[in-house]
C-alpha cells in the first residue's frame, strides 16, 4: 500500500450469487419500494450458476492469496437453490467464510452444518413493529422466525453478528439493539447509518434523530454494551453520525482515512462484473473478457488505485460500505 502497487492478490473476495430477494427493505438500492426507477424483473431473476461459481473459485485459487470469501448478493444469498453447495465449495478450500443474509429463507440445519465462520444477519430493529416497518410486506411472523433461527445459531455456537442499518424507522431503537444482541448471543452488533439514493432518501434519519443519537442514544448504547459485555462498532458509528450531522448526504468521512480496498479486496457480481470495492459505480472489468488475474494486475485496476490514493473519489464513496475495513488499514499504515 505504501508503495502504491499490490505485492499479492486480494485477501478477501466478495461474491454475489443472486439478485433475487425475499425482502424489500426500505433503504435498499435494489429492492426498496421507494425506488424512483425500480429494477426490472429480469434483473431480479438473475443468479450465478453453480458451474460459474466454481469457475470463479478456480480463478481465485490461482491467485494464491485469497484466504476469505464473502457470499452475498444484491438480494439474499439464502434464496439461491444451490447456496449450500456453494458454501461447501468455499469451506472445502479452507477459506474463511462470511455470509450476509436476513436469515428468514434459511434452512437453518444446513446453514449450521456447513460451518460458516461469520454470519452477518441483517436484523434491522429490535421489535416486531420496527422490523416490519423496515421490511414492507413482512409481518410479525417473519420477525419471530428470525428470532427462532438466531436462538438456534446461538445454541450451536455459530459466530453471528447483527447488522443494524439505522434509518428513520430504526434510529429510536439503538439502545434496545444492544439488549437484543445480548439476548440472542451476538458476537457483535454492527451499527451502520443507511446509505440512501434513488428515492430511498425518504428513510433518512432526521436532524432531531441525529442529534439524539449523537448526544444521548449512542452514549446510552455504549454504556449498556459495556454493562452487558456486548461487542459493538459504536465508536465508528458515532463517527458516521457526526459526519451526517455535518452533511446528511455523507454517511462516512472517507476523506479522513482514504480507500485501501483495491489492494486487499474485490467484489464480483452475478453478471461476472469485477468491482474495485463494494461500490457498483467503480467497475474494473468483466470475467467474460479477461481472467481475474489479468484484471487484478492490469492497467485499469492500477489506475483506480492511484486515483483513489490521490483522493479523487467516486459517486457513493462518501457512503463507503467498507468504512470499518478502511479505518483498520489506515490505522495499520499510521
Amino acid at each position: 500500500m505504501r508503495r502504491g502497487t499490490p505485492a499479492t492478490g486480494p485477501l478477501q473476495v466478495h461474491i454475489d450469487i443472486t439478485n433475487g430477494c425475499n425482502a424489500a427493505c426500505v433503504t435498499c438500492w435494489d429492492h426498496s419500494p421507494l425506488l424512483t426507477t425500480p429494477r426490472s424483473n429480469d434483473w431480479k431473476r438473475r443468479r450465478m450458476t453453480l458451474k460459474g461459481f466454481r469457475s470463479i473459485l478456480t480463478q481465485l485459487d490461482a491467485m494464491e492469496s485469497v484466504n476469505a470469501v464473502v457470499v452475498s448478493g444484491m438480494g439474499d444469498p439464502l434464496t439461491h437453490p444451490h447456496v449450500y453447495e456453494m458454501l461447501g465449495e468455499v469451506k472445502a478450500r479452507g477459506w474463511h467464510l462470511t455470509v450476509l443474509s436476513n436469515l428468514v429463507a434459511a434452512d437453518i440445519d444446513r446453514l449450521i452444518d456447513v460451518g460458516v465462520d461469520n454470519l452477518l444477519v441483517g436484523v434491522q430493529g429490535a421489535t416486531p413493529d420496527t422490523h416490519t416497518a423496515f421490511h414492507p410486506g413482512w409481518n410479525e411472523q417473519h420477525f419471530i422466525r428470525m428470532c427462532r433461527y438466531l436462538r438456534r445459531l446461538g445454541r450451536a455456537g455459530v459466530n453471528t453478528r447483527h447488522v443494524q442499518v439505522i434509518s428513520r424507522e430504526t434510529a429510536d431503537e439503538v439502545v434496545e439493539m444492544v439488549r437484543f444482541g445480548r439476548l440472542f448471543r451476538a458476537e457483535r452488533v454492527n451499527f451502520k447509518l443507511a446509505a440512501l439514493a434513488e428515492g430511498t432518501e425518504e428513510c433518512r434519519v432526521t436532524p432531531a434523530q441525529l442529534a439524539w443519537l449523537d448526544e444521548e442514544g449512542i452514549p446510552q448504547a455504549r454504556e449498556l454494551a459495556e454493562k452487558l459485555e456486548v461487542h459493538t462498532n459504536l465508536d465508528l458509528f458515532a463517527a458516521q453520525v457526526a459526519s451526517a450531522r455535518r452533511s446528511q448526504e455523507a454517511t462516512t468521512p472517507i476523506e479522513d482515512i482514504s480507500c485501501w480496498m483495491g489492494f486487499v479486496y474485490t467484489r464480483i457480481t452475478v453478471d461476472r462484473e469485477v468491482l474495485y470495492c463494494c461500490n457498483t459505480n467503480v467497475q474494473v472489468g468483466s470475467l467474460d473478457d479477461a481472467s481475474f488475474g489479468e484484471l487484478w494486475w492490469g492497467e485499469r485496476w492500477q489506475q483506480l488505485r492511484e486515483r483513489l490514493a490521490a483522493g479523487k473519489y467516486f459517486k457513493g464513496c462518501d457512503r463507503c460500505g467498507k468504512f470499518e475495513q478502511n479505518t483498520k488499514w489506515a490505522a495499520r499504515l499510521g
Side-chain angles (χ1 to χ4, degrees):
M1 289 177 181
R2 291 193 178 97
R3 188 179 62 194
T5 57
T8 70
L11 304 179
Q12 184 185 67
V13 178
H14 184 145
I15 306 175
D16 290 339
I17 63 172
T18 182
N19 289 344
C21 197
N22 58 339
C25 300
V26 290
T27 63
C28 181
W29 293 6
D30 300 306
H31 299 277
S32 173
L34 302 175
L35 291 172
T36 52
T37 306
R39 294 285 195 176
S40 68
N41 289 331
D42 174 70
W43 183 91
K44 291 181 179 181
R45 284 192 291 265
R46 293 178 198 169
R47 293 171 174 162
M48 186 176 289
T49 66
L50 182 56
K51 180 180 179 181
F53 185 80
R54 287 170 172 160
S55 171
I56 289 171
L57 295 190
T58 298
Q59 293 190 52
L60 298 182
D61 284 333
M63 299 300 293
E64 298 184 341
S65 63
V66 177
N67 58 34
V69 165
V70 179
V71 175
S72 181
M74 301 295 184
D76 193 288
L78 298 187
T79 65
H80 195 294
H82 300 295
V83 61
Y84 299 103
E85 293 103 313
M86 292 173 167
L87 301 184
E89 292 276 353
V90 174
K91 290 302 297 179
R93 288 167 165 77
W95 294 341
H96 185 279
L97 172 62
T98 298
V99 176
L100 281 65
S101 172
N102 61 49
L103 205 59
V104 170
D107 180 330
I108 198 65
D109 292 322
R110 294 185 73 181
L111 186 60
I112 291 170
D113 290 344
V114 81
V116 177
D117 297 289
N118 189 21
L119 183 60
L120 296 179
V121 179
V123 177
Q124 328 308 10
T127 62
D129 287 346
T130 298
H131 188 258
T132 53
F134 195 93
H135 302 90
W138 281 11
N139 56 43
E140 184 175 330
Q141 292 306 309
H142 293 85
F143 180 78
I144 291 171
R145 183 185 306 169
M146 178 190 68
C147 291
R148 185 169 71 247
Y149 288 170
L150 286 172
R151 189 169 287 112
R152 286 283 309 281
L153 291 165
R155 289 172 180 167
V158 177
N159 189 34
T160 304
R161 293 187 177 187
H162 294 183
V163 177
Q164 296 282 11
V165 174
I166 305 305
S167 66
R168 186 171 304 190
E169 293 76 14
T170 60
D172 299 338
E173 289 190 352
V174 162
V175 179
E176 286 307 308
M177 288 170 181
V178 173
R179 200 180 308 278
F180 186 91
R182 178 67 178 84
L183 178 64
F184 290 100
R185 305 184 187 182
E187 187 270 333
R188 192 180 190 214
V189 180
N190 286 350
F191 297 89
K192 178 182 178 182
L193 204 59
L196 304 169
E198 306 298 331
T200 61
E201 294 91 344
E202 183 178 322
C203 302
R204 182 171 287 136
V205 176
T206 68
Q209 286 176 318
L210 283 173
W212 176 80
L213 285 168
D214 193 16
E215 299 163 12
E216 298 180 53
I218 293 175
Q220 290 175 20
R222 189 181 284 121
E223 182 180 354
L224 182 62
E226 184 175 346
K227 178 181 178 181
L228 298 181
E229 298 183 337
V230 175
H231 298 294
T232 73
N233 69 336
L234 282 166
D235 287 342
L236 283 173
F237 180 58
Q240 281 193 306
V241 169
S243 177
R245 291 193 77 179
R246 293 192 297 270
S247 168
Q248 286 209 3
E249 297 298 322
T251 57
T252 55
I254 188 65
E255 67 280 354
D256 293 343
I257 55 172
S258 299
C259 175
W260 306 103
M261 289 300 97
F263 295 85
V264 293
Y265 168 92
T266 187
R267 182 173 184 175
I268 301 172
T269 73
V270 167
D271 296 322
R272 296 169 58 84
E273 289 290 335
V274 178
L275 306 179
Y276 184 85
C277 56
C278 59
N279 188 343
T280 56
N281 292 312
V282 192
Q283 296 182 355
V284 179
S286 172
L287 293 178
D288 292 334
D289 300 325
S291 70
F292 183 86
E294 289 171 333
L295 293 173
W296 179 261
W297 301 113
E299 182 179 356
R300 165 68 174 164
W301 214 315
Q302 185 55 31
Q303 289 174 344
L304 290 169
R305 294 183 186 105
E306 292 171 2
R307 170 177 168 160
L308 288 162
K312 298 177 181 178
Y313 298 109
F314 290 87
K315 178 182 178 181
C317 288
D318 59 353
R319 303 187 296 269
C320 178
K322 308 301 289 184
F323 179 58
E324 182 167 354
Q325 292 88 333
N326 274 318
T327 299
K328 290 178 179 178
W329 282 108
R332 292 177 187 180
L333 286 163

